[in-house]
Structure formats: structure tokens, C-alpha cells
């Protein structure tokens, strides 16, 4: 079987993703999809965790080792920190929908390539349509570039609300720092806290 070129994987993925009407169907379609080369080296598909429909959708970069073993995004140390961050603004796992821009672990936890993100993009767009969030939060630089379709670094992007159009729907999105970065750079937690306060205000209708 030949590996699909990025453009072919995108159009094939778009056709498959479009034909799904629920998250269950989308996950089954992803499990059959061979257009992303990461699938060949990963143990498990990591689709999402949290609520199937939620006002807040968080999108990270890629699954890591623990995620690959468990088949769920954000279950390792970064995920535990993310849960604490959400709890600090009164949110539990059942209140949010958590996923990544790619659904399989890149070898050695490297950043996903643009081609890998493109291959997964139609499924992510369909996932957003099915979850119907009010707000999208991109966690870290790689996710921010993909979700917001921008090229600036995360420090310039973070903390600013933007309108993004996905599948014909315009949504409100914010980029913030990835929990893995906060584990390495605890001083940056202050910035992440400011972003969390903005998220809480938006969700409660105060902003």
C-alpha cells in the first residue's frame, strides 16, 4: 500500500470525515484511515477525553508516551497539570473536550510535521463541528499555528482572542502555553493563569 501524499491524504480524509455524523463514527473512521504516517509507529489512536459536547474545547499538539499507551490525550504529567489548571477555574474533565492536532504519537515525542497535521486536519475540523464548542483553546505553539492558521510564536499569540472559521462556523479561539512547557518553566505559570482567568470570564459571560 502506498503512502498518500499530503494533498491526497487531505482530500481523502475530508471525504471520510464529512461522511461521519457522530464522534463514534469519526473515531471509527480515524481508526481505518491510513493517510497519516504516524499511525504506523504508534500503539494507539488517541481521539479525545472529556465530554462529547462541551462549551470549551482544548486542542494540544500530539500524544506522548503515556497517551500512546492509554489511548487518550493528556493523561501524563502535562495532562495532570492541565486538569489542575482547569480545576482552578472550576472545570472538571466532564465540562471540557480535550484533543490534539494529530491523533497518534510522533516518534520520540517530536513536533508533528505540517504534513502530519494536514492529514489529520479534516478529522479535527469535523470533530469541532460535532463537539460544537463556544470557545477553542490551543495549547502551545504547534497547536496555535494549526488552529489559528498563523505563523507567530506562542509568546506573541497567547492571551489574545481571535475569530476562526472552521467548517463554515466562526468560533472564538485563544492560544495559551502548553502544560508541558509550564512543567519545564514554572515561572510562566503566571501567564497561563491570566489566560485561564480570561477563559473563565468568557465562559461565564463576563467578558
Amino acid at each position: 500500500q502506498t503512502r498518500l501524499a499530503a494533498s491526497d491524504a487531505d482530500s481523502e480524509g475530508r471525504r471520510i470525515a464529512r461522511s461521519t455524523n457522530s464522534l463514534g463514527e469519526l473515531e471509527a473512521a480515524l481508526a481505518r484511515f491510513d493517510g497519516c504516517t504516524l499511525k504506523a509507529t504508534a500503539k494507539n489512536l488517541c481521539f479525545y477525553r472529556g465530554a462529547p459536547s462541551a462549551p470549551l474545547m482544548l486542542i494540544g499538539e500530539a500524544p506522548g508516551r503515556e497517551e500512546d499507551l492509554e489511548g487518550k490525550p493528556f493523561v501524563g504529567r502535562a495532562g495532570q497539570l492541565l486538569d489542575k489548571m482547569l480545576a482552578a477555574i472550576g472545570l472538571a474533565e466532564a465540562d471540557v473536550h480535550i484533543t490534539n492536532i494529530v491523533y497518534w504519537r510522533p516518534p520520540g515525542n517530536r513536533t508533528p510535521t505540517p504534513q502530519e497535521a494536514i492529514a489529520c486536519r479534516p478529522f479535527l475540523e469535523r470533530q469541532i463541528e460535532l463537539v460544537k464548542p463556544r470557545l477553542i483553546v490551543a495549547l502551545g505553539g504547534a497547536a496555535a499555528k494549526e488552529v489559528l492558521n498563523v505563523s507567530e510564536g506562542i509568546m506573541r499569540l497567547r492571551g489574545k482572542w481571535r475569530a476562526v472559521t472552521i467548517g463554515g462556523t466562526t468560533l472564538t479561539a485563544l492560544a495559551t502555553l502548553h502544560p508541558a512547557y509550564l512543567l519545564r518553566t514554572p515561572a510562566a505559570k503566571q501567564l497561563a493563569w491570566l489566560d485561564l482567568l480570561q477563559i473563565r470570564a468568557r465562559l461565564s459571560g463576563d467578558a
Side-chain angles (χ1 to χ4, degrees):
Q1 185 179 345
T2 56
R3 285 183 170 172
L4 296 172
S7 59
D8 295 340
D10 179 45
S11 54
E12 174 72 358
R14 205 159 292 285
R15 185 185 63 73
I16 296 166
R18 283 265 143 255
S19 69
T20 63
N21 295 305
S22 68
L23 287 173
E25 286 181 17
L26 188 62
E27 184 172 17
L30 261 172
R32 293 190 302 269
F33 179 63
D34 289 323
C36 180
T37 52
L38 292 174
K39 185 179 181 181
T41 52
K43 285 185 172 62
N44 283 303
L45 164 69
C46 299
F47 187 39
Y48 79 91
R49 73 176 173 95
S53 182
L56 177 62
M57 184 168 179
L58 299 121
I59 305 174
E61 183 176 304
R65 194 176 75 86
E66 289 88 352
E67 289 76 16
D68 188 33
L69 291 171
E70 217 169 301
K72 282 185 180 177
F74 284 95
V75 291
R77 283 182 66 222
Q80 289 159 18
L81 177 55
L82 178 61
D83 288 345
K84 286 180 186 166
M85 290 163 67
L86 292 169
I89 56 167
L91 297 173
E93 182 177 341
D95 303 314
V96 298
H97 184 97
I98 304 169
T99 192
N100 284 300
I101 60 168
V102 299
Y103 300 98
W104 295 275
R105 180 195 180 190
N109 289 358
R110 62 163 172 74
T111 302
T113 66
Q115 290 78 13
E116 289 157 357
I118 286 167
C120 292
R121 174 87 188 187
F123 296 93
L124 180 63
E125 289 181 358
R126 187 66 183 139
Q127 188 173 355
I128 292 167
E129 288 171 5
L130 291 166
V131 174
K132 297 184 175 68
R134 276 175 43 216
L135 304 176
I136 290 177
V137 173
L139 301 165
K145 285 174 185 175
E146 182 63 24
V147 172
L148 304 174
N149 194 25
V150 290
S151 57
E152 297 106 300
I154 188 65
M155 286 304 180
R156 293 190 62 181
L157 291 171
R158 61 150 288 277
K160 300 182 184 79
W161 292 104
R162 291 166 185 258
V164 291
T165 302
I166 292 161
T169 305
T170 301
L171 296 154
T172 303
L174 179 87
T176 191
L177 303 169
H178 196 288
Y181 174 79
L182 299 176
L183 288 171
R184 297 192 303 270
T185 319
K189 286 181 180 177
Q190 200 173 346
L191 296 173
W193 176 239
L194 295 174
D195 297 341
L196 286 168
L197 292 176
Q198 285 202 70
I199 293 162
R200 181 170 70 183
R202 281 278 170 140
L203 287 172
S204 60
D206 298 337

